[in-house]
Amino acid sequence: NAGNSDSLFITDANITGTTGIRLQIPTIAKVRRASNSAVQNTGNHFSFWAASNSTPLPTENTGIFSINAPDIATMEAGLVSNNINTGFDNVFQNTSENVHYGNVERIDYIFPNGFTTNESASLSKIGFIIYDFGGGSPFNIAGISELNIAKDPSNYSLPVVSVEESDFGNNLLTTERDFVIFQKDPLFYGGETRPSARRNSNIKGVFISLAELGFTIGQKIYGFSLFANDVPANSTVAALLDFNSFPTNTNSNNMLDLVNSVGLYSFSQTVLSSPVLLRASVQNLSVVLQWNNESIVNAKKAILQRADNNMIYYDLKEISINQSTYTDMSLRTGISYYRLKVFEKNGDIKYSNIQYVNSNKKKAQIFPTVTNDMLYVNTQNLKMSKPFTISIYNLDGKLVQSYNPKASSFINLNVSNLQKGMFVIVVAQENETIISERFQKN
């Protein structure tokens, strides 16, 4: 429902490094509201956010907006659009202390036909993903096990799962996305949509398996319900069905900004039941990786993996299962992603969380970018004990010059014999590209 090239629809996902497939299932979204002393209606007002690609600046209150989403008539319709560009702001805030109150007490994602898992299914590999704009807002979730004739939940599979900020994965976008918040209330301003100033944020997600929701093999599953985190996690089924009994004064600044995406996801591998908490930091010209190894001490082996922006991972180093730190000496300019691949003794392959570092520290510097005859390469941060190569390519990818210079912190290259045009110079060491930049030969 976004309408231009900036649209991002959720069709698959990557959870702790394991490819997943989204299963298309007919879905109904129902929003349950309850009036309270501050707001005497059950749904006239709702707000949603949409991606913005124009002025005003985040600090401005007026200006011209170019919005990558149309007006949304109802929250229920928007919630099943599977469009990562739009979502709903602070869906469980319901007091007049916050301008986005909507008295939302429960959101039901209903699969009216239901589905049943068979004996070959792994309940820990199948489940739902909740995406949060801004990332990491706590909430509660329960699986729907029965529907009544009106297609409303009539029974839940317990327990209620409490999701905390620490349960979410990393940012899903490479950069923060600009957005605006729309407020819509048919009782005011003729029902027109009124936007806020532009802001920016990222998106995070959390995978909730059928096993965590208490479902068993062969049980019919009809979807799930979302609740504010102040709905008690030890609630009975009767309490969950009676949304009028929920707290009606929820007012936290850290509430779920729900991305319009719903579906059933199946993954080829399970995630670690006791996660390895991988952390990465840049120190000087190296990446220091640390993790708690309690989850892998009984594993067969573990491999540290790295990926660039293409998110294609390769093996960096097999580590000892008793090891809890590693220093990657080959820091790259830009973003590098890291994860641990764990091989368990029963044959399962599982993954840690993903960490990334973004470095603008270049191990080599090339200048000038426009030249008649000379190029200069500063290699003082390379390993002087290891050989390196310098290659020059035309824009068709053809090698036109190559060098195997002696170890030095400063290299002079004469390129006066090159034809006029654009070229790419590549510095590599130990089969790794250290830097690749364009320059123009006049």
Side-chain angles (χ1 to χ4, degrees):
N1 81 358
N4 66 22
S5 60
D6 194 51
S7 303
L8 293 174
F9 290 85
I10 304 296
T11 56
D12 56 41
N14 190 286
I15 301 300
T16 64
T18 303
T19 300
I21 300 174
R22 176 177 174 271
L23 308 178
Q24 302 286 343
I25 295 180
T27 310
I28 299 171
K30 294 187 177 183
V31 179
R32 307 300 181 179
R33 298 177 173 91
S35 62
N36 60 34
S37 58
V39 185
Q40 298 294 325
N41 64 66
T42 58
N44 283 318
H45 180 283
F46 70 87
S47 63
F48 64 95
W49 54 264
S52 169
N53 59 3
S54 71
T55 56
L57 295 173
T59 56
E60 298 173 340
N61 295 317
T62 60
I64 299 173
F65 290 86
S66 176
I67 301 303
N68 300 329
D71 195 359
I72 296 176
T74 67
M75 183 183 293
E76 288 81 357
L79 286 171
V80 293
S81 69
N82 293 304
N83 178 7
I84 204 170
N85 278 340
T86 60
F88 292 89
D89 183 57
N90 294 325
V91 291
F92 293 118
Q93 289 190 344
N94 56 9
T95 78
S96 57
E97 296 176 37
N98 187 289
V99 296
H100 304 309
Y101 55 81
N103 282 352
V104 176
E105 301 298 328
R106 189 182 85 204
I107 297 176
D108 301 327
Y109 284 104
I110 298 168
F111 306 151
N113 299 321
F115 66 91
T116 304
T117 55
N118 59 31
E119 292 296 333
S120 64
S122 172
L123 297 182
S124 60
K125 299 178 183 179
I126 306 171
F128 313 109
I129 300 179
I130 308 301
Y131 296 97
D132 180 30
F133 188 79
S137 298
F139 66 93
N140 288 340
I141 180 173
I144 301 172
S145 59
E146 293 180 23
L147 298 178
N148 60 23
I149 193 171
K151 300 296 184 182
D152 292 329
S154 59
N155 199 4
Y156 284 99
S157 173
L158 298 179
V160 177
V161 176
S162 294
V163 177
E164 305 297 334
E165 181 177 0
S166 59
D167 296 319
F168 282 82
N170 299 311
N171 288 330
L172 298 176
L173 305 177
T174 55
T175 58
E176 290 189 338
R177 177 169 295 271
D178 289 339
F179 73 100
V180 295
I181 296 175
F182 287 93
Q183 302 173 45
K184 187 179 182 67
D185 192 331
L187 299 182
F188 299 97
Y189 301 99
E192 294 181 357
T193 302
R194 295 168 284 135
S196 68
R198 181 160 57 105
R199 297 174 176 83
N200 53 68
S201 194
N202 213 299
I203 296 174
K204 294 183 178 182
V206 60
F207 173 68
I208 311 294
S209 70
L210 298 183
E212 290 177 294
L213 293 173
F215 287 112
T216 58
I217 294 294
Q219 184 177 4
K220 202 69 174 287
I221 300 164
Y222 290 96
F224 59 94
S225 293
L226 302 179
F227 312 90
N229 63 326
D230 56 358
V231 173
N234 59 355
S235 295
T236 64
V237 170
L240 294 178
L241 293 173
D242 182 15
F243 61 91
N244 288 287
S245 67
F246 295 167
T248 57
N249 59 348
T250 304
N251 186 44
S252 167
N253 290 324
N254 192 29
M255 273 300 187
L256 190 64
D257 300 324
L258 193 58
V259 174
N260 297 340
S261 176
V262 63
L264 178 70
Y265 294 81
S266 177
F267 296 93
S268 57
Q269 301 290 346
T270 59
V271 298
L272 289 164
S273 57
S274 178
V276 177
L277 299 177
L278 179 66
R279 306 193 189 284
S281 62
V282 176
Q283 297 182 17
N284 297 321
L285 289 171
S286 302
V287 181
V288 177
L289 300 154
Q290 297 174 305
W291 59 91
N292 60 316
N293 67 342
E294 290 88 349
S295 297
I296 62 174
V297 291
N298 295 317
K300 183 178 180 181
K301 67 176 181 178
I303 296 176
L304 189 64
Q305 296 184 316
R306 184 174 70 185
D308 297 320
N309 277 331
N310 57 13
M311 293 297 288
I312 298 175
Y313 284 89
Y314 65 91
D315 294 348
L316 180 64
K317 176 73 173 179
E318 182 173 345
I319 62 170
S320 166
I321 58 174
N322 296 315
Q323 192 172 343
S324 61
T325 184
Y326 177 79
T327 300
D328 181 10
M329 304 295 292
S330 55
L331 174 65
R332 297 187 177 192
T333 301
I335 297 178
S336 296
Y337 297 87
Y338 295 87
R339 71 183 184 188
L340 278 171
K341 184 177 183 180
V342 180
F343 296 80
E344 297 200 329
K345 293 178 180 178
N346 63 2
D348 283 351
I349 299 176
K350 301 181 180 180
Y351 296 85
S352 73
N353 60 308
I354 296 171
Q355 285 283 285
Y356 73 90
V357 296
N358 190 357
S359 175
N360 58 7
K361 297 180 180 180
K362 297 182 179 180
K363 288 189 171 183
Q365 294 177 309
I366 300 168
F367 55 92
T369 56
V370 180
T371 183
N372 293 319
D373 48 15
M374 298 300 294
L375 276 179
Y376 305 97
V377 184
N378 183 342
T379 59
Q380 62 181 347
N381 290 322
L382 291 179
K383 302 174 184 176
M384 291 295 105
S385 61
K386 301 291 185 180
F388 59 91
T389 61
I390 300 176
S391 307
I392 296 178
Y393 302 86
N394 62 23
L395 295 187
D396 292 328
K398 181 181 178 181
L399 179 66
V400 295
Q401 283 189 13
S402 63
Y403 309 87
N404 292 285
K406 294 181 179 180
S408 173
S409 61
F410 202 78
I411 308 296
N412 301 328
L413 300 178
N414 190 330
V415 294
S416 59
N417 62 332
L418 293 179
Q419 296 181 350
K420 292 183 179 180
M422 295 294 296
F423 296 87
V424 178
I425 182 170
V426 177
V427 179
Q429 188 174 55
E430 295 181 302
N431 296 318
E432 177 186 352
T433 298
I434 303 301
I435 189 171
S436 176
E437 289 189 1
R438 289 191 180 192
F439 71 93
Q440 180 177 321
K441 166 63 170 58
N442 286 340

